[in-house]
Amino acid sequence: MSSDYNPTPHVIPEGENATPLGVVGGDCTESEKLIIIMCGLPATGKTHIANRIVRYLSFFLDIPAKIFNVGDYRRKLHGAQLPANFFDHSNEEFMAKRLQACDMALHDLIDFMKQDGVRVGVLDSTNSNHSRRAHIRDTLKSLECKVVVLESIIDKEDVLESNIRNIHLNTPDYKGIDAAAALKDFQKRRENYFDVYEHVDNKDGSHIKIINNETFVVYNVRGYLSQKVVHFVMNLHLLPREFYLSRHGQSEYNLVGKIGGDSGLTEAGLEYARRLADFAKDVVAKKLVVDEVTGEEKSEVRPARLWTSTLRRTKETAQFIKQESVTFKWDNNDEVKWIQFRGRARRNLDELYAGVCDGLTYQEIKERFPEEFARRQEDKLTYRYPRGESYMDVTLRLEQIVMDIERTREPILIVAHQGIHRLLYAYFMGLPREQAPFVSIPLNTVIELRPNAYGCDEKRYVLLSKEEMLKDGQDEPITSMPMQELADRANSHTRSTSIDPMNPPSF
Ligand code: F6P
């Protein structure tokens, strides 16, 4: 045997840079096809949960997943603004109309599920009693799919109230209607369900119950995908919360336009790091509360977390953030000693590795590896740098990070990199994966994301302006978002807050 004999240990898939990932869609068998029937009183977060499940499955597992919202069919069939008594269960005419909307949604769900390949369909509606759920199961009987009922129960008044105000009064049902009148009508609508609502039990077959985001019941749920859903919803919480994405400050490599590497920060990078420390103290670790005696708003310290990558430039960016020891009480009254912003360096947050191109400028890559350069321009999502990574590869290592973000209740400041934040942003904003490599994540900017039922509210804080830097080194040829639709969508969620460098930041 010659000394350079080196057989490939595994079969290399189509094309040198193909993505041989178990990103799992292709690996699942048809028998994993799954239908989730949502169930729960109005304002218990069903649509929020359904949206998050669908986003998780499509973004991380590449599973076609779709929600069939019966409310949308009702609005199409019978108009958006219907009086509360449309939901009166003793009114036969209205009950028939509601069943008609349910059956239309079921019809489309069935068509969707019949298509080839593994897929997940979600029927989003109150589905409030056994007979309605039995009707649905019966209608789906002929399909060879797993069916799981997912019930959301919330009986905490403050959570319900916040759900109603934040979500329901903003739906098309109440568009243009005075807030007080909308609230009154919605309360009446909910009351119509109280007498007839029947909780899910074993008669409903396989099911998951989420009670106040604290107690979980999982009954007879089998199969890979169903268990993935169980794991996901047990990590999910819908309480109002924010997290913050920041790239590292300008690095030595940014300055000269090189990608990757493990360089330290420039002077401008260090200045950003100092401003980020103020931002962390004044925004991330603060919450507004109403003083019970005076009724005035005041700010209070809240427990906050800090994650960085393991690379030098993110650690240096976080270096001025104070790590004080404080004592907090959780909502269950447990007291905890907490270190504010105790840094956690996570390897999964390291920048997309550019392999043989690491440490080069884009111009140098173009000259030395023109074919590679062209291929990346063609398909930036799946392109893998020789001996390096693709955005798809990075997606895989971010699944754990996303699960941790979903689970965490305290605000998190995540100091990482352009490629990493593009993927996190795309996932949380509900953008398709294909758009992720083009999302704009500028230096010197903190992006605040606050998840809602349909995506996230977003606010951008520019802590250091371009003029304050020598050169930001972002000479990458295709960083901008090419799709108008994407830009419009981002704008509709974005409020940008620039910090005037002449005035010390007071957030
Ligand atoms: O230029 C900064 C940087 O973080 C590089 O280290 C990384 O390779 C690049 O951005 C990722 O962006 P793109 O995928 O657009 O090349």
Side-chain angles (χ1 to χ4, degrees):
M1 194 185 306
S2 81
S3 60
D4 57 1
Y5 177 69
N6 182 22
T8 316
H10 58 176
V11 179
I12 297 176
E14 290 278 287
E16 221 184 322
N17 280 323
T19 307
L21 294 179
V23 191
V24 171
D27 292 358
C28 269
T29 61
E30 288 257 336
S31 67
E32 287 293 342
K33 280 185 170 187
L34 173 67
I35 297 173
I36 301 173
I37 303 170
M38 299 304 293
C39 165
L41 286 166
T44 48
K46 297 180 298 298
T47 300
H48 196 159
I49 297 170
N51 273 316
R52 298 287 268 279
I53 292 173
V54 159
R55 193 172 330 145
Y56 168 72
L57 294 174
S58 48
F59 200 89
F60 286 107
L61 306 186
D62 203 18
I63 307 268
K66 192 165 173 190
I67 297 175
F68 297 82
N69 180 304
V70 177
D72 289 342
Y73 289 84
R74 164 177 53 79
R75 283 182 278 271
K76 237 182 264 159
L77 281 170
H78 311 299
Q81 288 173 354
L82 297 158
N85 74 341
F86 186 82
F87 302 89
D88 176 353
H89 287 69
S90 62
N91 185 317
E92 281 179 20
E93 181 199 337
F94 291 154
M95 281 302 282
K97 286 186 165 169
R98 287 164 59 195
L99 184 62
Q100 186 193 6
C102 174
D103 284 342
M104 252 178 101
L106 273 172
H107 178 269
D108 288 353
L109 169 70
I110 290 170
D111 278 355
F112 173 74
M113 295 308 295
K114 276 185 176 160
Q115 292 171 50
D116 288 344
V118 65
R119 51 195 55 241
V120 176
V122 184
L123 185 73
D124 181 15
S125 181
T126 47
N127 298 322
S128 47
N129 53 31
H130 283 113
S131 81
R132 169 60 67 90
R133 297 192 291 267
H135 167 74
I136 294 168
R137 276 197 183 266
D138 238 36
T139 314
L140 299 174
K141 211 165 49 201
S142 59
L143 293 174
E144 281 182 24
C145 297
K146 294 194 170 71
V147 178
V148 173
V149 179
L150 199 169
E151 183 181 20
S152 173
I153 301 170
I154 295 180
D155 53 21
K156 290 188 172 175
E157 277 312 312
D158 53 335
V159 180
L160 281 170
E161 209 176 287
S162 129
N163 278 357
I164 292 171
R165 283 187 195 285
N166 292 336
I167 306 163
H168 285 272
L169 301 186
N170 292 320
T171 62
D173 288 8
Y174 294 112
K175 201 168 173 203
I177 295 184
D178 159 73
L183 183 62
K184 208 163 146 211
D185 183 87
F186 188 72
Q187 299 286 26
K188 262 212 231 136
R189 184 193 291 192
R190 283 192 84 232
E191 282 161 22
N192 277 322
Y193 285 89
F194 291 163
D195 294 340
V196 290
Y197 189 79
E198 289 165 347
H199 283 296
V200 168
D201 58 29
N202 295 1
K203 286 201 285 297
D204 289 289
S206 307
H207 63 260
I208 308 167
K209 266 175 195 271
I210 309 173
I211 308 165
N212 291 324
N213 258 291
E214 293 166 341
T215 309
F216 298 87
V217 177
V218 180
Y219 173 76
N220 209 12
V221 175
R222 284 151 205 239
Y224 174 80
L225 266 189
S226 314
Q227 290 295 349
K228 274 279 191 194
V229 171
V230 170
H231 182 240
F232 180 71
V233 297
M234 287 181 82
N235 279 282
L236 184 68
H237 75 80
L238 310 182
L239 300 170
R241 47 85 67 100
E242 294 91 35
F243 54 92
Y244 300 84
L245 309 180
S246 167
R247 286 175 69 182
H248 50 80
Q250 185 194 47
S251 69
E252 298 286 354
Y253 266 30
N254 288 145
L255 186 63
V256 292
K258 290 183 176 183
I259 65 168
D262 194 14
S263 59
L265 298 185
T266 62
E267 262 317 307
L270 285 169
E271 179 55 25
Y272 176 74
R274 285 187 203 100
R275 294 188 191 184
L276 185 66
D278 288 340
F279 180 87
K281 177 163 72 61
D282 296 337
V283 179
V284 182
K286 284 269 167 69
K287 71 170 174 203
L288 282 180
V289 288
V290 178
D291 188 301
E292 279 176 18
V293 184
T294 63
E296 276 173 23
E297 270 195 348
K298 57 175 188 176
S299 63
E300 251 180 26
V301 176
R302 58 178 178 177
R305 296 178 187 267
L306 168 68
W307 299 347
T308 65
S309 74
T310 63
L311 298 171
R312 211 177 126 197
R313 52 197 187 273
T314 60
K315 289 183 176 169
E316 286 185 6
T317 304
Q319 68 184 308
F320 304 116
I321 299 174
K322 280 228 170 60
Q323 302 192 359
E324 293 160 316
S325 168
V326 276
T327 306
F328 289 108
K329 261 192 181 168
W330 294 144
D331 46 5
N332 64 3
N333 264 344
D334 282 354
E335 216 170 70
V336 61
K337 285 217 180 314
W338 179 274
I339 304 199
Q340 279 296 50
F341 298 114
R342 174 168 31 202
R344 195 168 160 208
R346 310 192 62 171
R347 170 97 179 74
N348 294 26
L349 289 173
D350 286 359
E351 181 56 306
L352 182 151
Y353 181 47
V356 299
C357 297
D358 188 76
L360 302 180
T361 64
Y362 290 108
Q363 190 52 37
E364 286 166 343
I365 299 173
K366 198 173 174 183
E367 283 158 17
R368 288 197 213 168
F369 305 103
E371 278 175 20
E372 295 296 332
F373 188 84
R375 274 155 75 180
R376 189 159 201 260
Q377 299 272 5
E378 247 162 54
D379 186 355
K380 201 175 172 192
L381 177 70
T382 62
Y383 170 82
R384 173 182 286 155
Y385 283 107
R387 296 176 192 250
E389 289 181 298
S390 67
Y391 271 94
M392 288 290 282
D393 294 331
V394 177
T395 305
L396 269 193
R397 62 176 163 90
L398 286 182
E399 184 184 344
Q400 185 54 48
I401 297 282
V402 158
M403 206 60 98
D404 289 349
I405 298 175
E406 295 282 16
R407 182 173 56 236
T408 303
R409 296 180 182 213
E410 302 75 37
I412 321 168
L413 172 58
I414 306 172
V415 184
H417 306 266
Q418 174 161 248
I420 297 296
H421 283 329
R422 280 179 172 156
L423 286 165
L424 292 177
Y425 181 94
Y427 167 76
F428 280 102
M429 292 303 275
L431 305 179
R433 275 202 304 223
E434 293 65 34
Q435 292 179 13
F438 305 99
V439 170
S440 164
I441 308 283
L443 283 175
N444 304 322
T445 305
V446 184
I447 303 175
E448 176 187 277
L449 294 182
R450 184 178 304 188
N452 60 38
Y454 301 96
C456 285
D457 294 319
E458 173 186 345
K459 194 170 172 183
R460 291 190 177 215
Y461 299 84
V462 182
L463 304 193
L464 189 71
S465 68
K466 266 195 175 232
E467 296 73 47
E468 290 175 271
M469 297 168 63
L470 227 54
K471 174 175 184 290
D472 79 355
Q474 295 304 297
D475 59 354
E476 198 249 343
I478 42 171
T479 40
S480 58
M481 290 182 273
M483 286 146 285
Q484 188 54 40
E485 180 204 327
L486 176 60
D488 292 345
R489 187 156 175 191
N491 285 340
S492 70
H493 291 286
T494 305
R495 279 173 293 141
S496 216
T497 307
S498 282
I499 306 304
D500 176 359
M502 302 315 283
N503 286 311
S506 88
F507 299 102

